[in-house]
Amino acid sequence: MAQSYERFRPGYPAELFELVMTYAGRPVRTALEIGAGTGKATRLFAGRGVAVTATDPDAAMLAELRRHLPADVRTLRAAFEDLRVGKTYELVYAAASLHWTEPDGRWERIAALLEPGGVLASFGGPLRPADPAVEEAVRAVRAPFLESDDIPSPDGTPPEHTMQWPGTELQRSGWFTDVRQVTVARRLTMSPRDCVGYLSTVSAYLTLPAPVREEVFSRIGHVLPERVEMAADVTVHLSRRRSGR
């Protein structure tokens, strides 16, 4: 699975780094990453001079990460809930991983890992065929096995609301202020094989029995064109730790 994540999950655009730094309003020297996986986001920040501590509970993911990143990137095998609170960072960020953390005490724990005024950034987003006809064809062949491959909002926020999770919870938490939601528009062109490879890393498919999963992937592969334009927008949530808490 770690190798599939590395091969099929896209990286993050330089525009994302600039967006986070502009929001911070000052140089960011230290960062903690929650759920680093194979380091797709790690290399974006570490490659631009930020001292990143990359955490993940999965040893195979971190081993893959180390293959692609300099030795001075610190790695720590730990779930978010097991991280020791004490050292603080100027930035805490999570790339498509925050929904895996336990809700109870989530924001208080993140606040404890941040310097007063430090920045929390959460970002990610699904890949979807940009052509509505292709998207409908995929939905139709998937429907007998899986109604949707979306990750439901952890707090039940409807998808049509302007502010999405985790921004909704951050606004209510009391630990954070200046909550913003920004979309970085992006399009990718992929082969059918790479599209199916990406789907093989999506949790909705991973929960299916292996024979069913392979049947779904086969059907999806047959309805995809030779080159698939994918909508791959990155939704970014930014907030700042309140100084008075």
Side-chain angles (χ1 to χ4, degrees):
M1 183 53 61
Q3 292 177 351
S4 293
Y5 264 72
E6 177 58 30
R7 178 177 176 182
F8 297 116
R9 289 269 175 136
Y12 290 94
E15 184 181 351
L16 172 62
F17 177 82
E18 299 302 331
L19 180 67
V20 174
M21 293 303 112
T22 299
Y23 175 87
R26 59 176 181 173
V28 171
R29 294 158 298 190
T30 62
L32 176 75
E33 181 174 6
I34 299 170
T38 66
K40 294 290 186 172
T42 319
R43 61 200 75 179
L44 177 68
F45 289 89
R48 288 162 174 78
V50 180
V52 177
T53 298
T55 72
D56 198 279
D58 189 281
M61 291 286 190
L62 289 179
E64 190 69 28
L65 179 150
R66 293 187 194 102
R67 291 180 56 205
H68 303 280
L69 286 158
D72 60 356
V73 173
R74 183 180 177 227
T75 58
L76 181 62
R77 185 185 176 188
F80 165 68
E81 293 75 20
D82 297 329
L83 293 176
R84 295 180 61 184
V85 175
K87 182 177 180 180
T88 58
Y89 302 83
E90 295 168 320
L91 169 68
V92 171
Y93 69 91
S97 63
L98 205 56
H99 61 283
W100 291 112
T101 61
E102 292 291 335
D104 187 32
R106 176 192 285 132
W107 308 120
E108 183 176 358
R109 284 188 59 79
I110 292 178
L113 293 163
L114 275 169
E115 296 180 0
V119 172
L120 168 63
S122 175
F123 46 87
L127 274 62
R128 293 279 185 269
D131 185 336
V134 176
E135 184 174 27
E136 175 55 27
V138 170
R139 188 206 64 77
V141 297
R142 184 188 65 214
F145 310 95
L146 190 65
E147 182 179 353
S148 172
D149 59 7
D150 290 331
I151 296 173
S153 173
D155 67 351
T157 301
E160 65 271 13
H161 279 207
T162 302
M163 179 63 74
Q164 288 293 303
W165 190 91
T168 46
E169 284 191 7
L170 287 166
Q171 289 176 325
R172 300 191 297 265
S173 73
W175 289 97
F176 293 89
T177 186
D178 193 19
V179 179
R180 302 183 195 177
Q181 178 177 294
V182 184
T183 299
V184 178
R186 182 173 61 166
R187 292 291 183 272
L188 302 173
T189 301
M190 303 173 72
S191 69
R193 181 180 180 183
D194 285 349
C195 286
V196 172
Y198 164 76
L199 294 178
S200 74
T201 71
V202 173
S203 57
Y205 296 94
L206 292 172
T207 60
L208 296 173
V212 175
R213 185 166 61 245
E214 293 308 312
E215 177 65 20
V216 176
F217 290 158
S218 175
R219 294 190 182 197
I220 291 174
H222 279 97
V223 301
L224 293 174
E226 290 186 5
R227 302 300 294 172
V228 190
E229 184 180 2
M230 302 291 284
D233 294 352
V234 181
T235 301
V236 187
H237 288 94
L238 300 163
S239 57
R240 204 178 307 275
R241 189 202 191 284
R242 289 187 183 275
S243 298
R245 295 202 63 168

